Structures are given as structure tokens and as C-alpha cells.
């Protein structure tokens, strides 16, 4: 089975929201673009979400976001992470650093 992979562009609006958090640039932030995975000659496909990895060297937080959604989700997709919650998490990471 042939598979086509289309790498998506990371949403700039999400990146800008994150970079507005005070002192977040003191942490390691990695933005990984999502992918559309298409199984050729079928009607199946997958959308791999964009990933945001925030680390202070001790703790790591992985957030997920989709192209058509400006919300951030935890790694299990069970909870929406708001910018205010992310700000609290970042402050905790900075205290440990």
C-alpha cells in the first residue's frame, strides 16, 4: 500500500499566542509541524497534530494542536490547555530551573 505524507505548516497564530507568555523564551521550545497521511487508492487518511514541546531540562510538556482548531490539548487529547493554564505551567517550569 502506498502512503503519501503531506507536511503541514505550523500555525503562526498558535506560535504567537505561546510566545506572548512572559519569560517563555527562557525555556526550550520546539515546534513540530503536523502531517496529513494519506493511504493511496483508499478513502483512508490520518491527521497527525502539530506538537509543541516545552522543556526546562527537568520536566517536559507536550501540547498538541490541529490546523482547523486554535485550542491546545494535552498529550492524551483529554483536556484543553488554555493560555492562562499554560502560563501557570511555564511559571512552574521556570521556578524549577
Amino acid at each position: 500500500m502506498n502512503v503519501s505524507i503531506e507536511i503541514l505548516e505550523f500555525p503562526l497564530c498558535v506560535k504567537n499566542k505561546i510566545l506572548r507568555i512572559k519569560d517563555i523564551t527562557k525555556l526550550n521550545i520546539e515546534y513540530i509541524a503536523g502531517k496529513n497521511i494519506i493511504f493511496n487508492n483508499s478513502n483512508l487518511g490520518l491527521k497527525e497534530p502539530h506538537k509543541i514541546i516545552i522543556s526546562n531540562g527537568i520536566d517536559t510538556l507536550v501540547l498538541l494542536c490541529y490546523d482547523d482548531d486554535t485550542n491546545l490539548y494535552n498529550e492524551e487529547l483529554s483536556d484543553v490547555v488554555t493560555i492562562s493554564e499554560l502560563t501557570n505551567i511555564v511559571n512552574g517550569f521556570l521556578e524549577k530551573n
Side-chain angles (χ1 to χ4, degrees), residues 41-97:
N41 301 322
S42 76
N43 62 349
L44 299 175
L46 299 170
K47 280 191 171 189
E48 183 178 318
H50 303 287
K51 293 179 186 169
I52 304 149
I53 302 171
I54 302 172
S55 172
N56 65 356
I58 300 168
D59 296 319
T60 302
L61 173 67
V62 178
L63 298 171
L64 306 175
C65 69
Y66 289 91
D67 258 355
D68 52 353
D69 190 355
T70 58
N71 290 326
L72 301 174
Y73 298 92
N74 65 2
E75 207 168 4
E76 295 83 33
L77 295 173
S78 59
D79 292 319
V80 173
V81 178
T82 64
I83 293 298
S84 62
E85 289 172 335
L86 183 57
T87 301
N88 292 337
I89 293 168
V90 165
N91 289 336
F93 275 20
L94 290 170
E95 290 174 3
K96 291 181 182 180
N97 207 2

Side-chain angles (χ1 to χ4, degrees), residues 5-54:
I5 298 175
E6 173 191 3
I7 298 187
L8 305 170
E9 187 175 333
F10 197 92
L12 191 57
C13 63
V14 173
K15 195 182 281 191
N16 287 339
K17 275 186 188 179
I18 292 170
L19 290 176
R20 285 188 199 135
I21 297 173
K22 183 182 178 194
D23 295 330
I24 196 163
T25 55
K26 294 179 182 178
L27 300 173
N28 299 321
I29 305 172
E30 185 178 357
Y31 301 97
I32 300 172
K35 300 174 189 161
N36 277 337
I37 303 168
I38 301 161
F39 299 98
N40 297 333
N41 301 322
S42 76
N43 62 349
L44 299 175
L46 299 170
K47 280 191 171 189
E48 183 178 318
H50 303 287
K51 293 179 186 169
I52 304 149
I53 302 171
I54 302 172

